[in-house]
Amino acid sequence: MSISNPIVYDCIVVGAGLAGLVAARNIHRSGHNVLVIEAQDRFGGRMYGQYLPSKQWIDRGGQWVGPTQDRFLALLDEYGVRRFPSPAEGRKVLIFDGKRYEFDGFFQGFPEGEPPSISEEEWRDAMDAWERFETLTKELPSGHPRRDRQNQKLDSQTFIQWIEENTLTAFGRWYFSYMSRAVGYLGPAEPSQVSLLHVLWGNNCAPQSEHPEAELLHGGAGQIPEKIATELGTRIRLREPVLRICHDQAGVEVETLKSRFTAKFTIVAMPPHLAGRIIYDPPMPPLREQLTQRVPMGCCAKILISYDRPFWRDKGLAGIGLGNCKWIELCADSSDPETGVGVIATFVVGDRYRDWRSMSDSDRRAAVLSDLAIYFGDEALSPSTYDEVDWPSDPWAGGGYAAFMPPGVWTSFGEALTAPVGRIYWAGTEMAERWPGFFDGAVRTGEAAAKAIMSFL
Amino acid sequence: MSISNPIVYDCIVVGAGLAGLVAARNIHRSGHNVLVIEAQDRFGGRMYGQYLPSKQWIDRGGQWVGPTQDRFLALLDEYGVRRFPSPAEGRKVLIFDGKRYEFDGFFQGFPEGEPPSISEEEWRDAMDAWERFETLTKELPSGHPRRDRQNQKLDSQTFIQWIEENTLTAFGRWYFSYMSRAVGYLGPAEPSQVSLLHVLWGNNCAPQSEHPEAELLHGGAGQIPEKIATELGTRIRLREPVLRICHDQAGVEVETLKSRFTAKFTIVAMPPHLAGRIIYDPPMPPLREQLTQRVPMGCCAKILISYDRPFWRDKGLAGIGLGNCKWIELCADSSDPETGVGVIATFVVGDRYRDWRSMSDSDRRAAVLSDLAIYFGDEALSPSTYDEVDWPSDPWAGGGYAAFMPPGVWTSFGEALTAPVGRIYWAGTEMAERWPGFFDGAVRTGEAAAKAIMSFL
């Protein structure tokens, strides 16, 4: 096809998540004419805040930031968003096979501090495997995994197979399976669903050893989309799913159910599977077409529970729990010290989500709270507020935290993840080479896409 | 939402592939008011014929039928489509690691007849593994794989891992890898991409031992869509991609770029990933949403090469070649005895497709023909016609032969594959419990969806 209408915009950004907003803002600031089109009635995507009746904020999407997430930190500084250390003082709780351990360390995708007092054999098993995992990780070069013999080998197996071959105890096995379900770049995915290569790659470019959950934001991450959007003003259109993008050598025409818009370039700033749902004319190249069929979103609900005060601290607990409970494998104190309210953020993930989601509203709530009571005591059963965010039920996210790669996708289709197609560019945390699955990755890809396009404007 | 416009149709079928056409025809024949909406400018989907200048037909999509494919056979009989045995007289050719073997047997996903004269050790290795593969297959109950401990175990590994654990020789390994890339229910997929459970399930419900490629059709399979469409007359709308389906307790409203149509029910008759690209209001349940992100189409181009006559028969060859050549692992005589023209159907599949597709038009053609010359002699280099069908470049198929399941999809999301959502039903060969990936599976699901809906009309 060729575009018949005159070109109006320099760039149309499809999707007003963090990556799209950052890209649009940078293009706008350089004096170019930009338009953002968003399917939902809000901007921010998986960066999504909410105020409780108590004026306490909660983050329905992502919430944390770490010390090496440079680009996100720069954004926070620019908008004057203040940070505070994620509450971690006190003893952490591990529940394993019904037994309770309190300890001073941590081990979400990186062992640190005092280990829990499980048997020496179990801990040794997990740590031996961890060493092998780290060695494998360090063999990977930086950047997206390339197609070579070594990577194809790693990409041909699921993470669970590596776990089974490298652990001897139920604890060792759970240690890594839990990691697969808890860490940002991993979907979350059940370890039976994700490529070993993807896990190693994520551990290389988004390592837990750099503490990506070290800090929280006063007022929450959810305040940021609005700050960027304010700068863009009327250049954002909400409630208009983009259905079709026609493109030729002169520009692009972006079509919604209501209107058509033309531009010199477009940035599609969405997870790959959503980018794949748009009709392209001419169609996407075959590798890109097949890629977007193969990059699913993680399967997770986030639940935010608030209490009058962080009662767990009275018991010397940090409000951080990990373990193989029936529903809750990870929960974390997310209380803002300036409000005095106690907030626990937790997740129901993977196959647990599947079963949990099939229950009634009240059963789901009871399930979550009774697991919290195992971690922190019966006070957990009486929260002030209880909010579920069911990401797989949101068609404009399709899941959360982020997308992940099943076996054989990186090495056969990976090169189509970021390659522009004519005047169409891609952004979103899934495309990042550093901190994929985190806010920082989204900022990086938004900045990069804007820069690439502006070099032609 | 609720639908405000009056209900016009009893059923709207989205997608005019074989499953959709069969469903619509059955509903129409029962006196109900049906409408078919198709994105492309033709009907048939992956059932797609073409006439060459010589009046010889070729099938750009599927072409074969086997003796236990009851529902497809019944359809052929009904429309008076005559069959003939797939040409197989003469010696088959195996090329393995550059060595050429002629033999009288066959082994595409089922060993039969005289084996090629490769070493006893290599053949024994493949056959020992085959026995284990068959034993595992027979342990599966019929129907779609359920979520139980045994299936979860099988579903947590890639096929290549099973192959590596169960074969000792390069030939044994290739024997099964080739199967993964050649058999209908397998995508095709590289064995690193597909779940072991999926492979076993397919071998159970769509076994090569029942000879699904035993016969071809005079005039080709591509004539069938038109025969069904003739019966439906003006009840088919072409060139109208369905963008949104609103649904409530009273009915559905199906929206294209041009129009809206209402009905009591809808059947979405497309592969899962395409069904997932429609906007649903209210959205799909979370398991269905996540499923459609996880069921990719196979990666394959089909190439049809015709010659004045089937020259290979002069040499006593059957026109059937298998082997680990650079591009062509499988080619098959598809000549209609009534025309006298020689036709070879072949495929470039998986990672081979990836590299082949990146070459120029003339290099791709030269690559295919030079491999054919290895199988059948230099006469193969001078065809009358050469037609490539690039299925992954067709956005309304997204690939071919069919979709397949990566690890962890069947046991975590499989139940959402066929479950109706309110008044929305699903059809297509990917949903079949018998002969998935074949025409017969498409017919079965079309018939079943029509029957389910008519029980309410």
Side-chain angles (χ1 to χ4, degrees):
Chain A
M1 69 130 266
S2 74
I3 294 161
S4 45
N5 296 316
I7 300 289
V8 172
Y9 294 96
D10 289 310
C11 183
I12 292 171
V13 175
V14 181
L18 180 57
L21 288 172
V22 165
R25 183 200 69 158
N26 287 9
I27 293 169
H28 170 59
R29 280 188 182 172
S30 297
H32 302 297
N33 194 7
V34 72
L35 177 70
V36 182
I37 309 180
E38 164 62 41
Q40 304 213 65
D41 57 3
R42 63 173 182 86
F43 23 75
R46 287 166 277 165
M47 185 176 241
Y48 181 16
Q50 180 189 339
Y51 276 87
L52 301 177
S54 63
K55 310 290 177 207
Q56 168 66 40
W57 56 269
I58 54 173
D59 270 319
R60 298 168 65 85
Q63 60 180 44
W64 283 288
V65 60
T68 63
Q69 298 184 330
D70 308 334
R71 299 314 307 150
F72 186 42
L73 286 171
L75 192 80
L76 295 174
D77 288 348
E78 194 187 331
Y79 287 109
V81 177
R82 293 174 305 125
R83 316 190 301 268
F84 65 94
S86 300
E89 260 179 57
R91 296 181 70 75
K92 287 80 182 170
V93 177
L94 167 70
I95 308 290
F96 187 70
D97 285 353
K99 278 192 73 179
R100 180 190 174 84
Y101 308 88
E102 296 188 7
F103 66 113
D104 269 338
F106 195 63
F107 61 73
Q108 181 178 329
F110 183 69
E112 196 170 56
E114 177 205 337
S117 57
I118 56 161
S119 78
E120 169 70 16
E121 181 206 355
E122 289 170 307
W123 186 252
R124 210 45 273 155
D125 178 43
M127 289 307 101
D128 286 350
W130 177 260
E131 232 166 82
R132 287 192 289 276
F133 182 75
E134 283 278 86
T135 304
L136 268 180
T137 294
K138 280 166 189 146
E139 284 170 10
L140 288 186
S142 63
H144 283 152
R146 286 166 176 280
R147 180 180 176 77
D148 59 37
R149 202 166 285 270
Q150 167 68 0
N151 280 350
Q152 283 180 290
K153 181 85 192 153
L154 298 170
D155 203 22
S156 74
Q157 50 188 308
T158 57
F159 189 33
I160 192 70
Q161 290 185 285
W162 183 89
I163 295 173
E164 280 169 6
E165 283 163 23
N166 284 276
T167 58
L168 301 164
T169 65
F171 179 79
R173 186 182 152 119
W174 175 77
Y175 181 94
F176 288 93
S177 302
Y178 156 77
M179 191 180 109
S180 182
R181 291 185 291 257
V183 173
Y185 60 82
L186 279 170
E190 287 294 337
S192 58
Q193 296 164 359
V194 63
S195 157
L196 172 60
L197 177 64
H198 183 80
V199 182
L200 295 168
W201 168 74
N203 190 46
N204 200 29
C205 63
Q208 285 287 314
S209 59
E210 293 181 18
H211 299 280
E213 287 93 16
E215 294 183 310
L216 287 161
L217 310 178
H218 288 297
Q223 69 190 296
I224 295 163
E226 201 148 331
K227 289 180 191 288
I228 308 179
T230 302
E231 212 175 321
L232 288 163
T234 57
R235 289 167 195 85
I236 307 183
R237 297 177 71 99
L238 298 176
R239 293 177 211 86
E240 281 199 63
V242 166
L243 303 170
R244 186 157 68 169
I245 298 178
C246 300
H247 56 115
D248 65 14
Q249 291 184 325
V252 298
E253 187 169 75
V254 177
E255 192 167 356
T256 71
L257 271 181
K258 295 183 215 160
S259 353
R260 290 176 187 207
F261 307 93
T262 54
K264 292 178 188 159
F265 292 93
T266 185
I267 297 171
V268 177
M270 308 199 296
H273 85 281
L274 283 179
R277 289 182 179 176
I278 294 171
I279 299 172
Y280 298 90
D281 183 8
M284 285 292 105
L287 241 56
R288 171 84 198 170
E289 166 60 49
Q290 291 237 314
L291 173 84
T292 61
Q293 301 172 23
R294 286 165 160 81
V295 190
M297 296 296 286
C299 185
C300 126
K302 185 176 187 185
I303 303 120
L304 290 308
I305 307 108
S306 80
Y307 301 89
D308 291 345
R309 31 188 298 283
F311 66 84
W312 47 89
R313 294 182 193 167
D314 304 344
K315 312 175 183 188
L317 296 180
I320 296 175
L322 316 88
N324 63 355
C325 285
K326 185 155 186 201
W327 307 107
I328 301 292
E329 280 189 303
L330 167 65
C331 44
D333 189 334
S334 306
S335 314
D336 187 334
E338 292 181 358
T339 71
V341 172
V343 175
I344 295 287
T346 187
F347 307 90
V348 180
V349 159
D351 286 345
R352 284 176 170 84
Y353 168 88
R354 187 184 172 284
D355 298 330
W356 177 79
R357 187 58 178 68
S358 69
M359 304 194 297
S360 71
D361 288 6
S362 58
D363 285 353
R364 285 201 309 278
R365 178 187 158 119
V368 168
L369 295 182
S370 74
D371 267 9
L372 285 193
I374 295 174
Y375 287 108
F376 305 128
D378 282 351
E379 299 93 324
L381 298 171
S382 309
S384 320
T385 62
Y386 172 93
D387 286 272
E388 290 176 2
V389 195
D390 182 10
W391 285 104
S393 289
D394 174 351
W396 300 113
Y401 331 121
F404 68 92
M405 297 289 198
V409 179
W410 269 122
T411 52
S412 288
F413 303 95
E415 66 201 61
L417 184 65
T418 53
V421 177
R423 290 171 168 266
I424 306 173
Y425 285 68
W426 317 104
T429 190
E430 282 78 14
M431 272 60 87
E433 293 191 1
R434 177 84 163 124
W435 294 114
F438 292 83
F439 288 142
D440 191 66
V443 175
R444 284 170 196 269
T445 62
E447 290 176 338
K451 192 175 166 196
I453 281 174
M454 287 193 290
S455 72
F456 298 109
L457 292 177
Chain B
M1 69 129 267
S2 74
I3 294 161
S4 45
N5 296 316
I7 301 289
V8 172
Y9 293 96
D10 290 310
C11 183
I12 292 171
V13 175
V14 181
L18 180 57
L21 288 172
V22 165
R25 183 201 68 159
N26 286 9
I27 294 169
H28 170 60
R29 280 189 182 171
S30 297
H32 303 297
N33 194 7
V34 72
L35 177 70
V36 182
I37 309 180
E38 163 62 41
Q40 304 213 66
D41 58 3
R42 62 173 182 85
F43 23 75
R46 287 166 277 165
M47 186 176 239
Y48 181 16
Q50 179 188 339
Y51 276 87
L52 301 177
S54 63
K55 310 291 177 205
Q56 168 67 38
W57 56 270
I58 54 173
D59 270 318
R60 299 169 65 86
Q63 60 180 43
W64 283 289
V65 60
T68 63
Q69 298 184 329
D70 307 334
R71 299 314 307 151
F72 185 43
L73 287 170
L75 191 80
L76 294 174
D77 287 348
E78 194 187 331
Y79 286 109
V81 177
R82 293 174 306 125
R83 315 190 302 268
F84 65 94
S86 301
E89 260 180 57
R91 297 181 69 77
K92 287 81 182 171
V93 177
L94 166 70
I95 307 290
F96 188 71
D97 285 353
K99 277 192 73 179
R100 179 191 176 82
Y101 307 87
E102 295 188 7
F103 66 113
D104 269 338
F106 195 62
F107 61 74
Q108 181 178 330
F110 183 70
E112 197 169 56
E114 178 205 337
S117 57
I118 56 162
S119 78
E120 169 70 16
E121 181 206 355
E122 289 170 307
W123 186 252
R124 210 46 272 154
D125 178 43
M127 289 307 101
D128 285 351
W130 177 259
E131 232 165 82
R132 288 192 289 276
F133 182 75
E134 283 278 86
T135 304
L136 268 180
T137 294
K138 280 168 188 144
E139 284 170 10
L140 288 186
S142 63
H144 284 152
R146 286 167 175 279
R147 180 181 175 77
D148 59 37
R149 201 165 286 270
Q150 167 68 0
N151 280 349
Q152 283 180 289
K153 181 87 191 149
L154 298 170
D155 203 22
S156 74
Q157 50 188 308
T158 57
F159 189 34
I160 193 70
Q161 290 184 286
W162 182 89
I163 295 173
E164 280 169 5
E165 283 163 22
N166 284 276
T167 57
L168 301 164
T169 65
F171 179 78
R173 187 182 153 120
W174 175 76
Y175 182 93
F176 288 94
S177 302
Y178 157 77
M179 190 180 110
S180 183
R181 291 185 290 257
V183 173
Y185 60 82
L186 278 171
E190 288 294 337
S192 58
Q193 295 164 359
V194 63
S195 157
L196 172 60
L197 176 64
H198 183 80
V199 181
L200 295 169
W201 169 74
N203 190 46
N204 200 30
C205 64
Q208 285 287 314
S209 59
E210 293 181 17
H211 299 280
E213 287 92 17
E215 293 183 311
L216 287 161
L217 310 178
H218 289 297
Q223 69 190 295
I224 296 163
E226 200 148 331
K227 289 180 191 287
I228 308 179
T230 302
E231 212 175 322
L232 288 163
T234 57
R235 288 166 196 86
I236 307 184
R237 297 177 71 99
L238 298 177
R239 294 177 211 84
E240 281 199 63
V242 166
L243 304 171
R244 186 156 69 170
I245 298 178
C246 300
H247 56 114
D248 64 15
Q249 291 184 326
V252 299
E253 188 169 75
V254 177
E255 193 167 356
T256 71
L257 272 180
K258 296 183 215 160
S259 354
R260 291 176 186 207
F261 307 93
T262 54
K264 292 178 188 159
F265 292 93
T266 185
I267 297 171
V268 176
M270 307 199 296
H273 85 280
L274 283 179
R277 288 181 178 177
I278 294 171
I279 299 172
Y280 298 90
D281 183 9
M284 285 292 105
L287 241 56
R288 171 83 198 171
E289 165 60 49
Q290 291 237 314
L291 173 84
T292 61
Q293 302 172 21
R294 286 166 160 81
V295 190
M297 296 295 286
C299 185
C300 125
K302 185 176 186 184
I303 303 120
L304 290 308
I305 307 107
S306 79
Y307 300 89
D308 292 345
R309 31 188 298 284
F311 66 84
W312 47 89
R313 294 182 193 167
D314 304 344
K315 312 175 185 190
L317 296 180
I320 296 174
L322 316 88
N324 63 355
C325 285
K326 186 155 186 202
W327 307 107
I328 301 292
E329 280 189 303
L330 167 65
C331 44
D333 189 334
S334 306
S335 315
D336 187 334
E338 292 182 359
T339 71
V341 172
V343 175
I344 295 287
T346 186
F347 307 89
V348 180
V349 158
D351 286 345
R352 284 176 170 84
Y353 168 88
R354 187 184 172 284
D355 299 330
W356 177 78
R357 187 57 177 69
S358 69
M359 304 194 299
S360 71
D361 288 6
S362 59
D363 285 352
R364 285 202 308 279
R365 178 186 157 120
V368 168
L369 295 182
S370 74
D371 267 9
L372 285 193
I374 295 174
Y375 287 108
F376 305 128
D378 282 351
E379 299 93 323
L381 298 171
S382 310
S384 320
T385 62
Y386 172 92
D387 286 272
E388 290 177 2
V389 195
D390 182 10
W391 285 104
S393 289
D394 174 350
W396 301 113
Y401 331 119
F404 68 91
M405 297 289 197
V409 179
W410 269 123
T411 52
S412 288
F413 304 95
E415 66 200 61
L417 184 65
T418 54
V421 176
R423 291 172 167 265
I424 306 173
Y425 285 69
W426 316 105
T429 190
E430 281 78 13
M431 272 59 88
E433 294 191 0
R434 177 84 163 125
W435 294 114
F438 292 83
F439 289 141
D440 191 66
V443 175
R444 285 170 196 269
T445 62
E447 290 176 338
K451 192 175 166 197
I453 281 174
M454 287 194 290
S455 72
F456 298 110
L457 292 177

